[in-house]
Amino acid sequence: MISVQDGQNQILRQLTASTPPELVAVTRARERVLAEDLLAPFDVPPKDNSAVDGYAVASDDVPAARARELDVVGEIMAGETFAGTVAAGQTVRIMTGAPMPRGADTVYPQEVVERHGDRLRVGPISKGSNVRKRGEDIQAGTVAIERGTVLRPQELGLVTSLGQWQVLVHRRPRVALLSTGDEVAEPGTPRRAGQIYDANRFTLRGSIEQCGGEVVDLGIVADVREELRARLLEAAGIGDMVVTSGGVSVGVLDFVKDVLDEIGAIDFFGLPGNPVASMLAFMLFVRPAIYKLAGRRRLFPETAEAIAVEAMSKKKGRREFKRGIVQWQNGRWEARTTGPQGSGILSSMAAGNCLIVLDEARGDVAVGETVLIEPF
């Protein structure tokens, strides 16, 4: 056997280009992948502005000890500017976000001053307080968001703060998806004796969509060689990637490998028919491939360490992934399995929130030992 990492590298090496870019409205760009560095066309904020509702003063008018009085000579609402200059002994009332007036560099919050008519009594305060400096968020000409970033709500807000309503993103990878086998029935239809309802296509469909792919669902293909051949050729013409499940074992009617040998090549493997094995293989091998096609910078999820709170059996020589539950307890992350780990027990995936990753060199795990977890 080759290692999991070797298998991942073998697949990723074949992907030499990402999907082409397209321009979309910011309102449709959530979870899309940025196709170019987004440069700031101006400073954010564009001018020094007030961080609070209060009074703008010159730092020379801030008393070192006791209190002093200043003349209130104007007011600046958010979105407005002050035409004059704040002179010595003067102050201007200012709202949060309003640009600082000329001559002022410090803002008193309104809660710490006393105002009587047009006179304001102020005390000591740190000079330069409560002022957001020009460019302190982003400076003009710098990279605001790197290419390959998945656009979350916070990135979308950053895009629009730069005045843009469209963004260049990679097209979603198009994934043609099909299940194989006479033993599989479509949910919502009568099921013959000996058949099972198709779970794989729907866990895989959800998994593909969850990681940014666009699914072309080609349904179930019967165990008829020529039909499978035709559907695989159709799928190859539609998708950037073809994902199948089932029909890759050594049974008499497991045609997928033979047909692919005729019309292409098997460079690695097909997803197995057992639902947990299919979903796990997707997470390990297909998801990073979709991520790379989509132009993402990060292809693999982050991992963390946790303390095993139950014993786990493990044979040395291969990497194992157990379905697990991790939670914060007793000031630490603690992990346990979801129970029986058979490859057909799909409920174990629904019950879990992580994979417990045990590397090749490791044997049985005792209670209290550290394990690596990969959150779902």
Side-chain angles (χ1 to χ4, degrees):
M1 293 188 295
I2 65 173
S3 70
V4 169
Q5 186 173 357
D6 286 343
Q8 291 168 334
N9 291 338
Q10 191 169 324
I11 292 171
L12 293 174
R13 274 197 302 268
Q14 299 177 62
L15 303 176
T16 57
S18 301
T19 54
E22 61 182 1
L23 199 61
V24 302
V26 172
T27 52
R28 296 193 297 112
R30 187 174 67 85
E31 299 302 319
R32 301 295 294 273
V33 181
L34 193 64
E36 63 179 0
D37 287 342
L38 185 66
L39 302 179
F42 48 78
D43 291 329
V44 180
K47 295 182 177 179
D48 293 357
N49 68 85
S50 178
V52 297
D53 292 344
Y55 293 85
V57 303
S59 57
D60 288 346
D61 282 334
V62 175
R66 301 173 182 173
R68 67 170 296 178
E69 291 191 347
L70 302 170
D71 293 324
V72 181
V73 296
E75 183 173 78
I76 315 172
M77 304 301 290
E80 297 179 353
T81 59
F82 185 69
T85 299
V86 177
Q90 295 180 336
T91 182
V92 171
R93 179 162 167 74
I94 191 169
M95 299 295 108
T96 302
M100 292 291 291
R102 286 190 300 275
D105 57 11
T106 303
V107 177
Y108 280 93
Q110 62 184 11
E111 297 84 1
V112 302
V113 299
E114 297 177 19
R115 180 171 177 175
H116 302 284
D118 289 335
R119 298 287 289 173
L120 190 75
R121 185 175 178 84
V122 300
I125 192 174
S126 296
K127 296 179 180 181
S129 291
N130 304 308
V131 176
R132 301 173 180 143
K133 303 299 288 184
R134 172 179 176 170
E136 72 174 22
D137 187 357
I138 306 170
Q139 294 183 354
T142 61
V143 176
I145 309 174
E146 289 185 71
R147 64 179 300 176
T149 298
V150 180
L151 298 175
R152 304 168 297 171
Q154 49 267 54
E155 279 85 20
L156 298 181
L158 196 53
V159 170
T160 54
S161 77
L162 298 174
Q164 302 203 26
W165 67 277
Q166 289 182 313
V167 63
L168 194 68
V169 296
H170 287 284
R171 175 175 59 74
R172 294 187 188 278
R174 196 169 294 122
V175 182
L177 175 65
L178 54 89
S179 293
T180 65
D182 291 337
E183 77 279 10
V184 182
E186 190 74 46
T189 66
R191 175 170 59 91
R192 298 194 312 269
Q195 282 190 310
I196 58 172
Y197 283 119
D198 187 2
N200 282 2
R201 203 167 91 252
F202 298 93
T203 57
L204 292 173
R205 178 178 186 134
S207 298
I208 292 164
E209 292 173 341
Q210 188 178 55
C211 61
E214 175 188 327
V215 176
V216 181
D217 192 338
L218 299 179
I220 300 169
V221 182
D223 285 325
V224 178
R225 188 187 195 91
E226 288 309 309
E227 181 180 347
L228 178 59
R229 188 178 192 278
R231 296 291 287 281
L232 284 173
L233 287 170
E234 176 191 3
I238 293 172
D240 302 303
M241 177 187 297
V242 180
V243 173
T244 70
S245 70
V248 295
S249 187
V250 292
V252 175
L253 296 180
D254 288 340
F255 291 137
V256 174
K257 290 188 293 187
D258 290 343
V259 171
L260 283 175
D261 275 337
E262 292 177 8
I263 63 176
I266 297 180
D267 290 307
F268 194 56
F269 67 94
L271 297 184
N274 281 319
V276 174
S278 178
M279 195 170 183
L280 176 59
F282 178 92
M283 295 166 70
L284 295 177
F285 303 107
V286 182
R287 180 171 61 189
I290 294 176
Y291 281 173
K292 188 171 182 180
L293 274 175
R296 291 198 187 205
R297 286 184 292 119
R298 178 179 294 169
L299 304 184
F300 299 98
E302 294 187 6
T303 58
E305 291 185 340
I307 301 300
V309 293
E310 68 175 43
M312 304 175 197
S313 61
K314 162 72 166 62
K315 291 182 179 180
K316 291 186 178 181
R318 69 175 186 180
R319 182 164 295 199
E320 289 190 10
F321 300 84
K322 297 182 182 293
R323 284 84 78 191
I325 299 171
V326 64
Q327 55 187 344
W328 185 259
Q329 294 276 14
N330 306 311
R332 62 186 187 179
W333 289 110
E334 296 182 348
R336 60 183 174 86
T337 70
T338 56
Q341 297 286 297
S343 62
I345 306 175
L346 188 55
S347 60
S348 66
M349 292 294 279
N353 63 5
C354 71
L355 294 175
I356 300 172
V357 184
L358 306 177
D359 65 31
E360 290 84 350
R362 190 157 195 173
D364 292 343
V365 177
V367 173
E369 290 185 355
T370 300
V371 294
L372 197 66
I373 60 109
E374 184 179 297
F376 285 166

